[in-house]
Amino acid sequence: MLLSIQDLKVQFRMGRGVMADAVKGISFDIPENTTVALVGESGSGKSVTAMSVLNLLPDNAVRSGRILWQGKDLLQTSMRDLQALRGREIACVFQDPMSSLNPVFDVAKQICEPLMRHMGLGKAAALKRAEELLHEVGIPEPKRRLSSYPHEMSGGQQQRVMIAMALACEPKLLIADEPTTALDVTIQRQILELLGKLKSSHRMSVLFISHDLGVVGEISDHVVVMRHGQIRESADVATVFASPKDDYTRALLACRPSLEGNPARLMVIDDHIAAAKRERDGTAALAEVQAKPKDADAPVVLEVKSLAKSFWLKQGVFGKREFKAVQNVNFKLRRGHTLGVVGESGSGKTTMGLTLLRLHEPTGGEVIFDGKNLLTLTDRERQAMRRRIQIVFQNPYASLNPRFTVGQTLVEPMNIHNIGSGLAEREDRARKLLEKVGLDGRAFGKYPHEFSGGQRQRVAIARCLTLEPEVLVLDESVSALDVSVQAQVLNLLRDLQDDLGLAYVFISHDLAVVRFISDEVLVMKDGVVVEQASSQQILAAPREEYTRRLLSAVPRGYQGRAATGA
């Protein structure tokens, strides 16, 4: 057995003698040349378990039990021996490559470091091997890319560099912690296929951590499902997908949006578990919620005509060249409707959304809102109009001020736009908005760091609602959330749309999510709209090869692997 985790417990010292349990006595094995997936929601303990193997936990963590690496207990191993093991026999690939790669070192230095440290290679030999590794992980022009810095590469290329670094010393075990979560579907597909190919060619084992069973089904041999620091189910991948025994596993499988069918609401984890209990108890099932029909003749709130945005890039010493990020985008958005915008990273979808709001100054076109062209308004006119069109960004960790309480975050925009007669009225309004987005009154005095990612995204949505907007631009607003929290936020967005008549521009790389939330879809590639139709029509009968490629890249779990013969 390559790695055996036996009765592992992890606690965190919280001060004044308080200990918080993160992992509560779990056991599982990783044989040689096998991919084992740890699956669960955020906070389930899966990353803590993986980081316990090499003791990459903070100083306040206390571990007990046994972690046997080829028979040797790593909990009893000295830090010196662990450092010799890290990167050499056990390597890690983390979720966010930009926070894992050193921004001041080029790619060559970062790949060569483990080769020179662990393998004893000289600089010339290490550079040659680094070039071979970049070629192996599929980066074009590997020799030229060695001199690149992380910020000069796309997210998918950064993740490939991380994988090249991890493989440099040919480890026996690769720990991949959510390595594809923030990537678009085609890049995710490439990374999953790359990991599968490298696992076979290097005959190494992989501990793959994810919250998405759709992804896990396509890459793993064995699945360990965790919740609240405990293992709920452990079985081979075929068994987990064909006949899951635990209600929680069935809920994880069912709560992700699907490309087939479009329910009025997504059932979240607790809904599925409660439904399973009612079925066992013989209690009547709850009535199915029916979607409110959309008014096809609703007034147009936003009309975009020939929108364009270019950036000027330096070329040579004095020259520059035009990069056309968005070209000739046209659409109409009706009250209470959602326009989905999909495409790969770099397709121009986010630039288009930011240009709508003049967070990027447009190169050309018109954005007609309430009879006025937003792109030609004066600063004073734009300030008054801005409250009516708001944006929710992808990362709530970065978009909320860490020094403001939630109450201050919600009251500030009302102060700026003179909404409400005074502080008391504004605070009352803020508390009611928190209830509307599913947070109780206690959230008012807390800071962003005291909330989960899904809760922070709810705060970000509530902040937008303080200004009573008519249009929301949602830029990858659920892409970093685990499947259950994602379902909660999508249900919330649909409820708010039904209650308030909001119109959404919903930007995403996830076509299953877009199908659930959208009425019409724009497919973008290289800044151009290549296909535009109703969400049902695009998913059922896409006209363009690019759209078909996006659809084929969506993870479909174990059935997807069976279909592709993987």
Side-chain angles (χ1 to χ4, degrees):
M1 189 61 61
L2 192 66
L3 182 74
S4 180
I5 293 178
Q6 301 175 3
D7 195 29
L8 176 67
K9 298 183 180 72
V10 182
Q11 297 178 302
F12 290 94
R13 289 188 291 267
M14 307 302 290
R16 298 184 179 179
V18 176
M19 302 293 287
D21 294 323
V23 177
K24 305 171 183 177
I26 68 168
S27 302
F28 65 90
D29 297 328
I30 303 178
E32 292 184 0
N33 195 28
T34 301
T35 298
V36 174
L38 274 182
V39 186
E41 300 168 275
S42 297
S44 61
K46 56 190 188 298
S47 290
V48 172
T49 299
M51 295 305 103
S52 295
V53 174
L54 289 174
N55 195 17
L56 296 175
L57 297 172
D59 293 338
N60 65 329
V62 179
R63 301 175 299 162
S64 63
R66 303 175 79 198
I67 301 177
L68 300 180
W69 172 252
Q70 296 180 314
K72 182 179 181 180
D73 191 352
L74 297 184
L75 295 188
Q76 308 302 322
T77 301
S78 68
M79 183 55 68
R80 183 187 182 118
D81 289 342
L82 268 181
Q83 288 174 340
L85 200 66
R86 293 171 180 168
R88 180 67 183 90
E89 296 191 39
I90 305 176
C92 298
V93 177
F94 299 103
Q95 176 175 349
D96 182 8
M98 267 309 285
S99 64
S100 304
L101 295 170
N102 193 321
V104 302
F105 290 156
D106 61 22
V107 167
K109 185 171 182 64
Q110 297 189 62
I111 299 179
C112 287
E113 183 182 13
L115 290 167
M116 296 167 74
R117 179 183 178 89
H118 291 297
M119 307 293 283
L121 297 184
K123 186 173 181 179
L127 277 171
K128 185 174 184 300
R129 178 60 182 146
E131 183 182 342
E132 292 171 355
L133 285 164
L134 288 185
H135 176 74
E136 188 174 5
V137 298
I139 290 184
E141 301 180 86
K143 189 169 186 176
R144 183 177 68 84
R145 279 302 193 178
L146 284 172
S147 59
S148 297
Y149 287 84
H151 72 272
E152 298 177 293
M153 311 181 88
S154 69
Q157 289 173 328
Q158 292 166 6
Q159 198 62 285
R160 287 169 186 266
V161 170
M162 282 291 300
I163 294 171
M165 291 170 60
L167 294 176
C169 300
E170 300 186 0
K172 296 174 182 174
L173 174 65
L174 178 67
I175 298 174
D177 188 3
E178 301 270 16
T180 64
T181 295
L183 303 178
D184 66 56
V185 286
T186 53
I187 303 300
Q188 175 179 258
R189 167 70 58 192
Q190 292 169 18
I191 296 297
L192 292 176
E193 290 175 351
L194 173 64
L195 287 173
K197 183 182 77 172
L198 293 173
K199 174 213 163 191
S200 299
S201 61
H202 289 260
R203 295 196 59 79
M204 66 180 178
S205 294
V206 179
L207 177 58
F208 189 88
I209 301 161
S210 179
H211 61 255
D212 191 340
L213 273 165
V215 171
V216 162
E218 298 200 2
I219 194 171
S220 61
D221 303 303
H222 191 91
V223 180
V224 178
V225 181
M226 292 187 67
R227 192 185 197 199
H228 303 323
Q230 297 175 311
I231 291 177
R232 298 294 294 262
E233 186 162 357
S234 179
D236 64 88
V237 65
T239 300
V240 165
F241 277 82
S243 54
K245 294 181 173 53
D246 193 87
D247 289 342
Y248 179 65
T249 308
R250 287 194 284 269
L252 276 180
L253 285 165
C255 69
R256 194 182 191 282
S258 169
L259 290 173
E260 291 82 33
N262 201 12
R265 294 183 67 77
L266 296 170
M267 290 180 70
V268 298
I269 297 289
D270 291 338
D271 292 337
H272 284 286
I273 292 175
K277 185 176 186 303
R278 285 195 300 271
E279 186 177 336
R280 285 194 298 270
D281 296 344
T283 311
L286 298 179
E288 187 176 338
V289 178
Q290 298 297 318
K292 290 186 179 180
K294 295 290 179 77
D295 180 4
D297 298 318
V300 174
V301 293
L302 190 70
E303 183 175 2
V304 173
K305 301 177 181 178
S306 303
L307 185 67
K309 172 61 183 173
S310 293
F311 296 95
W312 292 95
L313 306 178
K314 185 177 178 181
Q315 188 170 41
V317 179
F318 301 108
K320 59 181 181 179
R321 63 182 177 87
E322 183 182 13
F323 171 66
K324 295 181 178 180
V326 175
Q327 304 175 59
N328 195 34
V329 173
N330 299 273
F331 65 83
K332 292 181 180 180
L333 180 61
R334 296 183 181 275
R335 175 179 168 83
H337 286 235
T338 300
L339 174 76
V341 184
V342 299
E344 298 172 288
S345 298
S347 62
K349 56 188 188 297
T350 293
T351 301
M352 186 272 287
L354 296 177
T355 305
L356 286 179
L357 302 166
R358 279 184 71 180
L359 295 175
H360 286 321
E361 284 299 324
T363 307
E366 296 178 89
V367 178
I368 309 300
F369 178 74
D370 197 19
K372 298 178 181 178
N373 183 4
L374 297 181
L375 306 186
T376 59
L377 297 179
T378 65
D379 289 344
R380 187 181 186 88
E381 292 172 322
R382 184 169 53 171
Q383 179 77 352
M385 197 67 74
R386 182 164 279 171
R387 60 169 284 191
R388 299 170 66 186
I389 303 181
Q390 287 288 299
I391 185 167
V392 180
F393 294 100
Q394 174 177 357
N395 185 357
Y397 297 85
S399 59
L400 297 176
N401 190 327
R403 295 182 178 85
F404 278 16
T405 65
V406 166
Q408 291 171 314
T409 296
L410 268 57
V411 168
E412 181 192 35
M414 290 189 274
N415 286 333
I416 293 171
H417 290 274
N418 295 314
I419 294 174
S421 59
L423 180 61
E425 183 180 334
R426 289 166 185 159
E427 288 188 349
D428 181 62
R429 178 176 167 77
R431 292 178 192 277
K432 288 178 180 176
L433 282 171
L434 286 175
E435 290 179 12
K436 185 174 279 291
V437 299
L439 295 171
D440 60 33
R442 290 174 296 178
F444 189 85
K446 293 183 178 181
Y447 288 87
H449 72 269
E450 299 179 76
F451 295 94
S452 68
Q455 289 171 324
R456 292 187 211 198
Q457 201 61 288
R458 288 168 184 264
V459 172
I461 293 169
R463 178 177 59 183
C464 291
L465 297 180
T466 59
L467 301 179
E468 300 178 332
E470 295 162 52
V471 177
L472 280 186
V473 177
L474 298 136
D475 184 15
E476 299 278 14
S477 56
V478 299
S479 65
L481 305 178
D482 69 50
V483 286
S484 182
V485 177
Q486 182 184 85
Q488 294 170 19
V489 173
L490 289 172
N491 286 337
L492 168 65
L493 290 172
R494 192 170 258 191
D495 290 343
L496 292 172
Q497 187 172 62
D498 290 342
D499 293 344
L500 305 175
L502 295 171
Y504 297 145
V505 177
F506 190 89
I507 299 167
S508 179
H509 61 253
D510 190 327
L511 278 89
V513 169
V514 165
R515 176 185 171 86
F516 172 76
I517 198 79
S518 302
D519 304 293
E520 187 179 4
V521 177
L522 294 183
V523 182
M524 292 191 69
K525 181 179 187 290
D526 300 329
V528 177
V529 176
V530 297
E531 191 161 356
Q532 183 172 355
S534 70
S535 59
Q536 186 173 0
Q537 181 181 337
I538 273 192
L539 294 171
R543 296 193 317 270
E544 298 294 322
E545 175 59 31
Y546 177 71
T547 311
R548 289 193 286 272
R549 184 155 59 86
L550 286 177
L551 285 167
S552 67
V554 175
R556 287 173 169 80
Y558 186 68
Q559 292 77 12
R561 175 162 68 175
T564 58

